[in-house]
C-alpha cells in the first residue's frame, strides 16, 4: 500500500469509513494523502497513533455509529492516541463534537480535506483542537494524485461534489456544500491513467452526477454528463463504466442513448424515486411528479439493451398517508426494480422537513418498511428467476471459501455466485451459465 519504507518510528493511522461510496472514495484519497505525509496505515486501533473515522450523517442511526465508536475507544486517549472525526458528521456537528467527545483533537469536513496535511502538522506540534470546516470559498473538488485505491480492478472517480437540490429531508447540501464539477479533461486524464494501471471498470461518482457541468473549455466543446460517460467508455482497456447517483429531475434521455451507443457503459441505472406519490414528492421538494419519473423509466425500457433499474425509497415521510404509501407499492409493481434500498424517514438537523407536522410514529414507519420490503422481495424473486438458463458475463470479484464459490458481478450489477472447475483470476471477465436464483443473487457455473 505504502511506497514509503516502513520503520518503527513511523507514525501510524487507522481509518474506519461509514456511509456512501463518496465517503469510501474520499477515504482512499485521505489514505493516499496521509501515506504521502509519511504515515503508515494499520489494521487496528491498538496499533495506531492517529485514529480517524470518516462519518456519515444521512440518517440518525449512521450518525450514532461514530459516537458509539468514540465511546468504545475513550480509554486509548490516555495512551496518547489522537482521535479525528472526518466527513459528514464532522461538517454537520462542527466544534460541538469536542463537547460531546472531549478526547477528539481533529474535526474535518469533506470540503476541507485539502488542508489535512497542514492540520496534521498542527496536531503533531501539540495543538489540542484543530478544525477544518467548510472550505466552500475555494470552490474546488478534493483531488489528489495520491489516491490509494483499495481494489486493483475497479475504481471510483469523483466527477462532481456537493448538491444544490435541497430535498426537504436531506443533509447532503449542508454537509457537502454546493455543487462543484471537475473538468472533463481531468476526469478523462485520471480514467486513462487508471486504464494504463490495469483497471477495467470505472464508476463515476457524485451526489447528483446528472447535474454535471464541465467548468472549462470553449462553450461548444464542454462535455455534457452523457458525453463524458461515453468518452470514459471509449478509453482503450476500459470494459465497464458505471455511475451513481442520478436525480430524476436532471436525468436526460441522452444518457439512455449513450448506453445504447457505447457497449462498455453498464446496462444499470440507479434512479432514486423516494416515493410513488406526487403529493409526497412535492412535500419532499423532489422537483418531479410520479408521471415524470415513470416517463424516464419508459425511456430506459425502450432501450436496445435491457437496462436494470434500482432505486431508493423513504417510507414514513411526515404526512405520508396510507394512500400515498399504496402509491409507492404500486410504483414498485409498475417499474419492476432489480433492487430497492428502502429507509425509514429520519429527521435530520438543518433540513426543512425537521419542522414538518404529521410525523409518522416509528412503529408505523417500521410496518411500512416491512410491507415494502416483502413486496419487493416477491418482485425480485420473479425478476431474478428469468435469468435461469441464460449466460452472463461477470467480473470475478472474490472467492467465497466457505461455500467453495466464486463471486462475480454482472453488467446489470447483480451478484452471480458460481462454481468453477478451473480457477478464474480475480478481476478477469468470465462467462457463467445461470442455473439458479434467489431474490438478491444468481447462481451459476463457469463456462469452460
Ligand atoms: N431519512 C431517511 N432516508 C434518507 N435518505 C436521505 N436522507 C434521508 C433521511 N433523512 C435516503 C434517500 C437517499 C439515500 C441515499 O438515503 O433514499 O436516496
Ligand atoms: Fe452519508 Fe450523505 Fe455524507 Fe454520503 S454524502 S456520507 S450518504 S451523509
Amino acid at each position: 500500500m505504502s511506497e514509503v519504507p516502513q520503520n518503527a518510528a513511523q507514525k501510524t493511522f487507522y481509518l474506519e469509513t461509514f456511509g456512501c461510496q463518496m465517503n469510501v472514495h474520499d477515504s482512499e484519497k485521505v489514505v493516499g494523502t496521509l501515506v504521502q505525509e509519511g504515515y503508515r496505515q494499520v489494521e487496528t486501533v491498538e496499533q495506531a497513533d492517529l485514529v480517524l473515522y470518516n462519518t456519515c450523517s444521512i440518517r440518525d442511526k449512521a450518525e450514532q455509529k461514530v459516537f458509539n465508536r468514540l465511546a468504545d475507544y475513550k480509554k486509548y486517549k490516555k495512551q496518547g492516541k489522537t482521535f479525528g472525526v472526518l466527513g459528514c458528521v464532522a461538517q454537520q456537528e462542527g466544534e460541538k463534537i469536542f463537547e460531546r467527545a472531549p478526547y477528539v483533537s481533529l474535526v474535518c469536513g469533506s470540503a476541507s480535506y485539502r488542508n489535512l496535511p497542514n492540520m496534521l502538522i498542527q496536531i503533531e506540534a501539540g495543538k489540542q483542537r484543530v478544525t477544518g470546516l467548510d472550505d466552500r470559498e475555494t470552490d474546488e473538488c478534493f483531488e489528489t494524485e495520491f489516491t490509494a485505491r483499495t481494489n486493483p480492478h475497479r475504481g471510483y472517480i469523483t466527477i462532481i461534489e456537493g448538491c444544490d437540490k435541497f430535498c426537504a429531508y436531506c443533509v447532503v447540501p449542508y454537509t457537502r456544500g454546493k455543487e462543484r464539477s471537475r473538468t472533463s479533461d481531468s476526469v478523462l486524464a485520471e480514467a486513462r491513467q487508471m486504464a494504463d494501471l490495469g483497471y477495467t471498470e470505472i464508476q463515476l461518482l457524485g451526489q447528483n452526477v446528472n447535474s454535471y457541468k464541465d467548468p472549462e473549455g470553449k462553450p461548444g466543446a464542454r462535455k455534457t454528463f452523457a458525453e463524458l460517460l461515453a468518452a470514459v467508455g471509449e478509453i482503450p482497456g476500459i470494459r465497464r463504466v458505471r455511475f451513481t447517483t442520478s436525480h430524476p429531475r436532471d436525468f436526460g434521455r441522452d444518457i439512455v442513448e449513450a448506453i445504447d451507443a457505447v457497449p462498455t457503459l453498464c446496462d444499470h441505472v440507479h434512479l432514486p424515486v423516494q416515493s410513488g406519490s406526487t403529493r409526497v414528492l412535492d412535500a419532499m421538494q423532489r422537483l418531479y411528479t410520479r408521471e415524470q419519473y415513470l416517463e424516464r423509466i419508459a425511456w430506459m425500457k425502450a432501450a436496445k439493451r435491457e437496462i436494470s433499474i434500482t432505486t431508493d425509497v423513504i417510507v414514513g415521510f411526515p404526512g405520508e398517508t396510507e394512500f400515498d404509501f399504496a402509491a409507492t407499492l404500486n410504483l414498485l409493481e409498475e417499474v419492476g426494480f432489480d433492487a430497492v434500498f428502502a429507509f425509514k424517514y429520519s429527521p435530520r438537523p438543518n433540513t426543512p422537513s425537521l419542522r414538518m407536522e404529521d410525523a409518522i410514529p416509528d412503529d408505523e414507519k417500521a410496518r411500512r418498511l416491512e410491507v415494502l420490503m416483502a413486496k419487493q422481495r416477491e418482485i425480485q424473486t420473479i425478476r431474478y428467476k428469468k435469468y435461469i438458463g441464460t449466460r452472463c458475463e461477470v467480473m470475478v470479484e472474490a472467492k467465497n471459501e466457505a461455500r467453495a464459490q466464486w463471486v462475480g458481478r454482472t453488467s446489470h450489477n447483480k451478484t452471480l455466485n458460481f462454481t468453477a472447475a478451473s480457477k478464474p483470476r480475480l478481476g478477469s471477465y468470465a462467462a457463467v451459465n445461470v442455473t439458479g436464483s434467489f431474490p438478491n443473487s444468481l447462481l451459476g457455473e463457469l463456462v469452460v
Side-chain angles (χ1 to χ4, degrees), residues 139-208:
D139 240 30
E140 288 168 17
C141 296
F142 170 55
E143 287 312 323
T144 164
E145 52 196 293
F146 311 122
T147 306
R149 290 193 165 83
T150 41
N151 183 308
H153 313 295
R154 59 182 160 82
Y156 298 123
I157 299 183
T158 311
I159 64 164
I160 176 168
E161 285 188 18
C163 181
D164 291 346
K165 280 287 179 292
F166 291 92
C167 300
Y169 51 82
C170 189
V171 288
V172 171
Y174 311 97
T175 59
R176 287 192 169 266
K178 62 179 194 291
E179 280 177 1
R180 293 95 71 197
S181 296
R182 266 175 82 180
T183 65
S184 59
D185 282 349
S186 90
V187 171
L188 288 167
E190 189 170 359
R192 282 190 208 102
Q193 202 179 30
M194 286 170 69
D196 288 345
L197 289 169
Y199 287 85
T200 58
E201 180 174 322
I202 285 180
Q203 186 160 354
L204 301 182
L205 284 185
Q207 295 302 334
N208 175 8

Side-chain angles (χ1 to χ4, degrees), residues 242-243 259 266-270 307-310 411-413:
R242 304 185 185 277
F243 56 98
I259 293 175
C266 287
D267 33 19
H268 168 227
V269 172
H270 183 66
I307 296 179
S308 149
I309 307 166
T310 57
S411 168
H412 273 166
N413 206 31

Side-chain angles (χ1 to χ4, degrees), residues 20 57-60 167-172 207 245-246 270 272-274 284 286 311-315 317 341-348 351 353:
C20 63
S57 66
I58 197 93
R59 285 169 290 275
D60 186 55
C167 300
Y169 51 82
C170 189
V171 288
V172 171
Q207 295 302 334
T245 281
S246 291
H270 183 66
V273 65
Q274 313 301 0
M284 288 176 165
R286 287 290 287 176
T311 201
D312 293 343
V313 171
I314 296 177
V315 297
F317 189 75
F341 301 89
F343 311 99
K344 290 191 286 183
Y345 167 70
S346 169
R348 306 308 297 134
T351 60
S353 63

